Amino acid sequence: MAKSNDIGLMDKNKLLRIFEYLNARLKENQLQLEITIYGGSIMTMVYDNRPATKDIDCVFSETNSKLLEHILDLTQFTFNLSDGWINEEIKEPLKSILKEDKETYKIYSNLKILKPRAEQLLAMKVLAARPEPAKDFIDAYILCRDLNITTKTELLKVFGDYIPLTLLGERQMNFIKYLGEDLGYDWK
């Protein structure tokens, strides 16, 4: 019985409590885990531009999968999280990435959380270029501001550093054009 339409939102504090809980369960089981988080969870925790996220887009390091699955089930139950709270679908778009450029976000005793650098995250947001209600446009706007990107050339350089330019389609070009307009630049 999937409750995918009923996924509760996780704000920054709840996300941090979840990671602390995960670390405690990992420690009890003498298990080390490295997790790389993407998307809304980063924008919620690092950039404070979203009040919350519905899931944690992530990739796990290789580990005891049965034990990890048990720990994730305990976490879901403890925090009353709906099915789909862990989203590993990010693996598919990561196949298009030319290079991963990760940095450490937080280290616990048994859990290490990594995140892509802002430039990689921006490139991924431009590639996705999903329409609302997805937050790709708002996220890209904030990342451009944060990275002080003021020209289309600078944005395309960042994009090309992480994703083949051949993947730029009409959707991405329109996304970039409107992003420039919203930022106050002419990126035609």
Side-chain angles (χ1 to χ4, degrees):
M1 184 191 313
K3 298 180 270 181
S4 57
N5 292 336
D6 187 33
I7 296 175
L9 294 178
M10 296 172 275
D11 64 11
K12 182 177 184 174
N13 290 329
K14 187 170 188 174
L15 285 165
L16 290 172
R17 287 194 321 270
I18 288 169
F19 289 132
E20 288 167 6
Y21 179 86
L22 276 173
N23 181 66
R25 301 297 75 80
L26 291 165
K27 189 173 184 176
E28 287 172 2
N29 290 282
Q30 299 177 355
L31 196 61
Q32 292 287 327
L33 181 65
E34 187 176 277
I35 181 175
T36 305
I37 59 172
Y38 299 87
S41 22
I42 290 180
M43 298 308 291
T44 299
M45 292 184 355
V46 178
Y47 293 95
D48 290 327
N49 83 308
R50 286 190 193 185
T53 184
K54 66 181 173 63
D55 60 10
I56 300 173
D57 297 311
C58 64
V59 176
F60 294 105
S61 61
E62 292 301 315
T63 189
N64 181 331
S65 57
K66 285 283 186 211
L67 191 51
L68 178 59
E69 193 175 309
H70 176 69
I71 291 170
L72 294 175
D73 287 345
L74 283 173
T75 306
Q76 181 180 3
F77 179 82
T78 302
F79 287 90
N80 197 28
L81 302 169
S82 297
D83 294 342
W85 74 279
I86 286 287
N87 182 0
E88 291 185 89
E89 291 176 11
I90 192 72
K91 289 178 180 177
E92 191 56 36
L94 284 175
K95 292 177 182 174
S96 301
I97 297 286
L98 297 171
K99 66 176 180 176
E100 277 263 53
D101 205 354
K102 302 180 204 177
E103 55 192 15
T104 301
Y105 172 68
K106 198 162 183 58
I107 297 176
Y108 298 91
S109 61
N110 292 62
L111 176 64
K112 182 176 184 179
I113 301 173
L114 303 174
K115 67 175 197 64
R117 289 177 40 116
E119 293 87 352
Q120 178 183 335
L121 191 57
L122 175 58
M124 293 172 73
K125 290 293 181 179
V126 170
L127 177 64
R130 296 169 295 190
E132 292 292 329
K135 304 286 189 232
D136 294 331
F137 192 84
I138 293 165
D139 294 346
Y141 177 92
I142 287 165
L143 290 163
C144 281
R145 287 268 189 222
D146 188 58
L147 294 167
N148 199 28
I149 292 176
T150 59
T151 68
K152 182 172 85 171
T153 303
E154 291 170 327
L155 179 60
L156 290 174
K157 165 85 173 85
V158 168
F159 184 86
D161 285 347
Y162 294 95
I163 297 171
L165 289 172
T166 55
L167 293 181
L168 279 177
E170 188 175 338
R171 189 177 80 231
Q172 288 81 11
M173 287 187 253
N174 285 330
F175 184 91
I176 290 168
K177 184 179 94 174
Y178 292 121
L179 181 60
E181 283 178 17
D182 273 28
L183 288 165
Y185 308 116
D186 184 9
W187 288 359
K188 293 185 185 203

